[in-house]
Amino acid sequence: MLEEIRLLAELSNAFGPPGSEEDVREILKKELEEHADEVRVDKLGNIFFYHHGGDKYPKVMLAAHMDEVAFLITFIEENGFLRFHTLGGITPNVMPGQTIILKGEKGFVKGIIGTKPPHLMKEEERKKVLPIEELFMDIGAGSVEEVREKGVDIGTTGVFDVKFAELGGGYLRGKAFDDRAGCTVMVQVFKTLKDSPYNLVAVGTVQEEVGLRGARTAAWQVEPDYALALEGTFAGDVPGAKPHRMSARLKGGPVITIADRTTITHPKVLRTLIKVGREKSIPFQFKKVPSGGTDAGAIHLTKAGVPSGTVAVPCRYIHGPAAITHVDDLRNTISLVREFVKAISTT
Ligand code: CO
């Protein structure tokens, strides 16, 4: 198995709701500890890997968020069903019937987002998307006491329960590719530059999905000269999509953001990305729909400002139970980011 695929599989299977990123953090630590000059975790849970280079080179920060869209238990029904909210954007149309996994006080608890049997639904009920208020989780408990006995309580968090799989032909399926694909890119780039003369800080950030929160405090501590947010972004190349609305497609290479809701990519960062892509013959594409936001949105407004941008691995179906990406996109993103770090450090 390719090293990139092994790592994406491990990261994808890890549990990491916003605010509970510890399992993902441990994987990043295990991968990069021996390659970094310095490793540090801050009070919010961001993890920093420093590669100290020569004084004449700028400090380049790579950020990949460790959290994934998740569920938060907010109420326990008397008969043991759980009511919930989301942490990050999950739309109710992808929820009913999905298997989920919660991390309680006594370990992992499996369950499902239940629905009324279709046999008992009225005709119009079958056609409509149920709002989240009408959905519930079933973890196999018949009372509040039985729920607590499993270690689950109000405030417990959970994620979709989907295992990583290779689909053949280079296609990969798994949960949380947003942003474990970005985490994979960050780890691989850091490893390939560990003996370089450049100054690199790789940061696994927390709580991106609820508003770029970890990146804000992380950038304040790092004070980078340049920053790149590494992401898994949406690809819209599915049946019914219009070319100008699909934004990005699989096997089209890394997705470079020009502008989104939170950032306009700094001209020097954008020019450098395009230049290295062309010079090194690495395929790339642009994000064509300026929606969404990334850690770059928080980073670039830090202190006196940080020239920043975003590069992402295209992934279909992000923020749903599972996404699909292609290994070529993963590998080309790693190449583009590695060449970017070299180029921005020397120009
Ligand atoms: Co993301």
Side-chain angles (χ1 to χ4, degrees):
M1 189 188 269
L2 281 172
E3 177 62 10
E4 296 86 347
I5 298 180
R6 177 203 61 82
L7 183 56
L8 178 61
E10 191 175 347
L11 286 163
S12 166
N13 289 337
F15 182 89
S20 305
E21 296 89 350
E22 57 276 3
D23 292 2
V24 182
R25 187 164 56 239
E26 278 312 304
I27 296 171
L28 295 184
K29 196 170 165 201
K30 179 179 65 131
E31 293 292 326
L32 288 182
E33 202 166 30
E34 60 180 302
H35 303 298
D37 296 319
E38 188 186 337
V39 182
R40 203 164 57 75
V41 177
D42 75 5
K43 291 176 188 170
L44 285 186
N46 295 305
I47 186 162
F48 304 76
F49 302 93
Y50 290 84
H51 171 69
H52 298 308
D55 288 344
K56 63 176 176 170
Y57 297 111
K59 194 190 290 174
V60 182
M61 172 175 167
L62 300 178
H65 67 89
M66 300 185 287
D67 61 318
E68 66 193 284
V69 291
F71 302 102
L72 172 70
I73 306 306
T74 52
F75 188 79
I76 308 170
E77 298 279 352
E78 272 178 29
N79 48 9
F81 293 100
L82 310 177
R83 301 288 187 169
F84 59 92
H85 282 275
T86 61
L87 293 172
I90 310 176
T91 50
N93 63 318
V94 298
M95 292 180 192
Q98 297 296 336
T99 51
I100 49 95
I101 185 162
L102 307 173
K103 193 180 191 185
E105 290 289 319
K106 299 178 182 172
F108 288 109
V109 174
K110 286 174 180 268
I112 190 168
I113 297 177
T115 52
K116 200 163 144 185
H119 318 75
L120 300 181
M121 287 181 186
K122 297 195 188 88
E123 187 60 29
E124 61 269 25
E125 277 184 309
R126 275 188 215 143
K127 288 180 190 154
K128 85 170 192 203
V129 173
L130 289 172
I132 191 164
E133 300 80 42
E134 291 182 33
L135 296 172
F136 51 85
M137 285 178 190
D138 187 338
I139 56 166
S143 65
V144 176
E145 291 67 36
E146 285 181 29
V147 170
R148 297 220 172 105
E149 192 51 39
K150 285 174 177 264
V152 171
D153 211 331
I154 289 165
T156 298
T157 54
V159 298
F160 290 114
D161 187 15
V162 175
K163 285 280 165 278
F164 181 90
E166 292 188 63
L167 303 184
Y171 289 92
L172 311 170
R173 186 206 69 186
K175 75 167 179 66
F177 284 1
D178 172 12
D179 186 26
R180 308 297 157 69
C183 291
T184 303
V185 171
M186 185 172 80
V187 167
Q188 294 304 93
V189 169
F190 194 92
K191 283 180 182 171
T192 60
L193 293 175
K194 68 184 163 64
D195 298 318
S196 74
Y198 312 127
N199 291 296
L200 186 60
V201 188
V203 187
T205 64
V206 296
Q207 300 188 37
E208 190 271 353
E209 294 293 357
V210 288
L212 323 179
R213 295 177 190 173
R216 194 176 305 269
T217 61
W220 198 89
Q221 297 165 74
V222 172
E223 294 188 84
D225 296 299
Y226 299 100
L228 214 52
L230 307 177
E231 269 290 355
T233 193
F234 58 93
D237 54 337
V238 295
K242 296 188 174 68
H244 69 291
R245 288 294 300 167
M246 67 170 64
S247 193
R249 62 182 177 84
L250 256 56
K251 297 173 88 168
V255 188
I256 299 173
T257 297
I258 297 169
D260 62 21
R261 278 190 304 105
T262 60
T263 335
I264 297 167
T265 297
H266 189 278
K268 186 176 175 186
V269 171
L270 183 60
R271 275 201 310 273
T272 305
L273 284 166
I274 294 170
K275 187 164 166 281
V276 295
R278 288 185 181 147
E279 280 178 8
K280 305 285 175 184
S281 301
I282 304 163
F284 62 87
Q285 55 189 325
F286 295 107
K287 182 165 171 163
K288 293 190 207 65
V289 181
S291 64
T294 73
D295 275 346
I299 295 167
H300 84 290
L301 297 177
T302 300
K303 292 191 176 174
V306 181
S308 304
T310 299
V311 175
V313 180
C315 304
R316 293 177 189 147
Y317 324 116
I318 62 166
H319 288 215
I324 289 182
T325 191
H326 195 277
V327 68
D328 290 350
D329 292 319
L330 192 60
R331 302 187 85 184
N332 284 322
T333 308
I334 293 165
S335 300
L336 187 74
V337 174
R338 182 189 64 230
E339 295 306 320
F340 167 83
V341 174
K342 289 185 197 168
I344 202 84
S345 296
T346 49
T347 51

